[in-house]
Amino acid sequence: MSGFRGAARGNIPSGAGIWHDSFMTSTLITVAPTGAETAKADCPALPTTLDELVETAKRCEAAGAAMIHIHIRDSEHRPTLDLGRLTETVTAVRENTALIVQLSTGGAVTDPFDHRLRVLDAAPDSCSLTMGTVNFGDDVFMNPWPFVTELYQLTQEREVVPEFELFDLGQVAALGRLLDKYGLPYGGKVHCDLVMGVPGGMPGTTDALVAAVNGLPAGVTSWSATGVGRTTLPVALAALSKGGHLRVGMEDTLTLAKGQPVTHNAELVERAATIAALAQRPPMSPDEARHLLNIKPRP
């Protein structure tokens, strides 16, 4: 435990980005199976119950995922941040898989800030931490600076490893500002995810990905990319060629190709694992991913 705590704060080492030393030899695949935007009535295959989430987690782990990014729903399949349900979900996924359990602190765009902070009470391995406010289609995903800094300091205190979600280049710069002021996250590694193709955020193009990666602070040690909707494949291919990792799932895309709906998240993980293997960077195991992100072992 002390080894992690000792790296949680302090100055960021110069040139700490590990992908600059050599290309990664394997790929962290994160699955985001549900999200908060798609209605169950519109997509019956979306896993919204606890049993569906656990079944999804097991199949996606077998397909090559090492981390699961979780949003939960209530008994009516509506987005919720109910702490009891969150805690039950974390426990169930841990009991049935070796996956790193990452909870969303974004929730739905309507969730209040105090409920989003309370997500950490469910004691996940990791959590998402979005680095700024962004237009999200017709809505606004609010992440004002005071909320961002409060959430970040809570992750350090609770020993939860954050994944910094970056929707545009301004948020890339904000990550540098945060690390300069508050030091390294718990565990000492800095992992971020480029969320691309959201209407209101940066486009899901190779040029945008390269610009974002080139702007990452020196303290970043690993990064992944998410392509929303039809940008899923272009972003995945660009990320692999640039040395990054992948996030896929029905939170971000509901089709494999035009006219071909996704019937299970495992299909998206299998495709990501296939292209990662073709790039000679096969999927990493959950244990390897824990080492990459410096997440403490389970008790």
Side-chain angles (χ1 to χ4, degrees), residues 24-31 64-69 99-100 102 126 161 163 191-193 221-226 239-240 243-248 269 272-273 276 281-295:
M24 300 298 298
T25 57
S26 57
T27 302
L28 165 61
I29 298 177
T30 299
V31 61
M67 180 157 67
I68 185 168
H69 171 81
L99 293 172
I100 295 169
Q102 180 187 93
S126 174
V161 173
E163 176 182 270
H191 179 74
C192 58
D193 181 52
T221 52
S222 60
W223 60 273
S224 61
T226 302
L240 286 169
H245 302 277
L246 305 178
R247 186 184 104 169
V248 297
V269 175
R281 291 182 48 210
M284 63 176 59
S285 68
D287 283 345
E288 290 170 328
R290 285 180 180 275
H291 179 73
L292 174 75
L293 305 177
N294 215 5
I295 290 174

Side-chain angles (χ1 to χ4, degrees), residues 12-18 20 216-221:
I12 300 166
S14 176
I18 60 172
H20 292 300
L216 291 174
V220 171
T221 52

Side-chain angles (χ1 to χ4, degrees), residues 11-58:
N11 294 328
I12 300 166
S14 176
I18 60 172
W19 81 86
H20 292 300
D21 298 330
S22 63
F23 262 38
M24 300 298 298
T25 57
S26 57
T27 302
L28 165 61
I29 298 177
T30 299
V31 61
T34 307
E37 287 74 45
T38 302
K40 180 78 164 180
D42 295 332
C43 183
L46 196 74
T48 56
T49 69
L50 182 57
D51 287 345
E52 289 171 342
L53 271 174
V54 169
E55 187 272 344
T56 294
K58 292 166 70 174

Side-chain angles (χ1 to χ4, degrees), residues 22 34 53 57 62 95 171 177 221 237 252 269 271 278 290:
S22 63
T34 307
L53 271 174
E95 288 177 347
Q171 294 181 16
R177 176 186 174 198
T221 52
L237 294 168
D252 305 311
V269 175
R271 183 171 68 176
L278 286 172
R290 285 180 180 275

Side-chain angles (χ1 to χ4, degrees), residues 204 206 226-240 246 248 253 255-257 268 271-272 275:
T206 299
T226 302
V228 173
R230 67 184 63 184
T231 72
T232 297
L233 275 176
V235 166
L237 294 168
L240 286 169
L246 305 178
V248 297
T253 185
T255 59
L256 286 167
L268 295 168
R271 183 171 68 176
I275 62 174

